[in-house]
């Protein structure tokens, strides 16, 4: 039994040396190739900017954006003036109401529930003036 243990330990040390030498050769060959020629696909790819939903845009505005104009990125000439927010506990989900503003038309009379508030395509419209006459209403659920 002692001879069997000695033979198996000798065998393990030989295979360990073989693995060590193979790993060393593999590391040397890949490191020189990676430094000399970067892959073309990684250089051409650019990270796409993650767009924000309505609440992620509004959280950086004063009073969670109540009274400010927000619009979807693909809309032209249409925006919502936020009048009321109902936030869920995480602050990234909820419900929102606002007054529709269209170019060339007077704003709507009553606030309307905004659809698509969780879609990642919202932006702040800085050019339109903030109307101070609205009462800010923010509710937490």
């Amino acid at each position: 039994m002692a001879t069997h243990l000695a033979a198996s330990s000798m065998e393990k040390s030989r295979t360990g040396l073989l693995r060590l030498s193979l790993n060393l050769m593999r590391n040397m060959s890949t490191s020189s190739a990676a430094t000399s020629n970067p892959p073309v696909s990684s250089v051409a790819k650019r990270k796409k900017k993650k767009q924000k939903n309505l609440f992620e845009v509004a959280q950086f505005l004063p009073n969670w954006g109540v009274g400010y104009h927000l619009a979807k990125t693909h809309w032209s000439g249409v925006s919502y003036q936020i009048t009321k927010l109902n936030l869920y506990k995480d602050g990234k989900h909820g419900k929102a109401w606002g007054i529709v503003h269209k170019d060339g038309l007077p704003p709507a009379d009553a606030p309307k529930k905004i659809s698509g508030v969780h879609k990642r395509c919202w932006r702040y419209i800085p050019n339109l003036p903030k109307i101070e006459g609205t009462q800010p209403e923010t509710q937490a659920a």
Side-chain angles (χ1 to χ4, degrees):
M1 178 144 165
T3 57
H4 177 59
L5 288 176
S8 66
S9 67
M10 195 104 137
E11 220 173 276
K12 287 180 184 178
S13 67
R14 286 182 191 157
T15 58
L17 287 174
L18 178 64
R19 284 186 184 159
L20 182 66
S21 63
L22 288 174
N23 285 337
L24 182 64
M25 287 178 22
R26 186 179 303 133
N27 289 338
M28 291 181 72
S29 67
T30 58
S31 66
S32 64
T35 57
S36 64
N37 254 346
V40 176
S41 62
S42 68
V43 174
K45 282 187 180 178
R46 297 222 170 143
K47 224 176 185 181
K48 188 175 180 181
K49 185 178 174 183
K50 185 178 179 182
Q51 293 191 346
K52 299 178 179 182
N53 69 21
L54 183 132
F55 302 104
E56 292 170 342
V57 173
Q59 73 181 352
F60 296 108
L61 297 171
N63 199 16
W64 277 85
V66 173
Y68 289 89
H69 289 265
L70 299 176
K72 291 186 178 182
T73 55
H74 57 274
W75 287 352
S76 60
V78 180
S79 67
Y80 277 100
Q81 179 191 355
I82 307 299
T83 57
K84 178 182 171 184
L85 291 174
N86 184 359
L87 291 171
Y88 296 159
K89 289 183 181 179
D90 64 355
K92 293 184 179 181
H93 298 90
K95 298 175 184 176
W97 288 263
I99 298 173
V100 180
H101 288 267
K102 295 182 181 179
D103 283 346
L105 297 175
D109 295 341
K112 175 183 167 186
K113 186 175 178 186
I114 302 172
S115 62
V117 294
H118 297 120
K119 294 191 176 187
R120 299 197 163 272
C121 60
W122 287 91
R123 64 186 168 101
Y124 165 62
I125 309 293
N127 301 350
L128 298 176
K130 179 185 177 233
I131 300 172
E132 299 292 333
T134 59
Q135 291 292 332
E137 296 180 32
T138 304
Q139 298 175 354

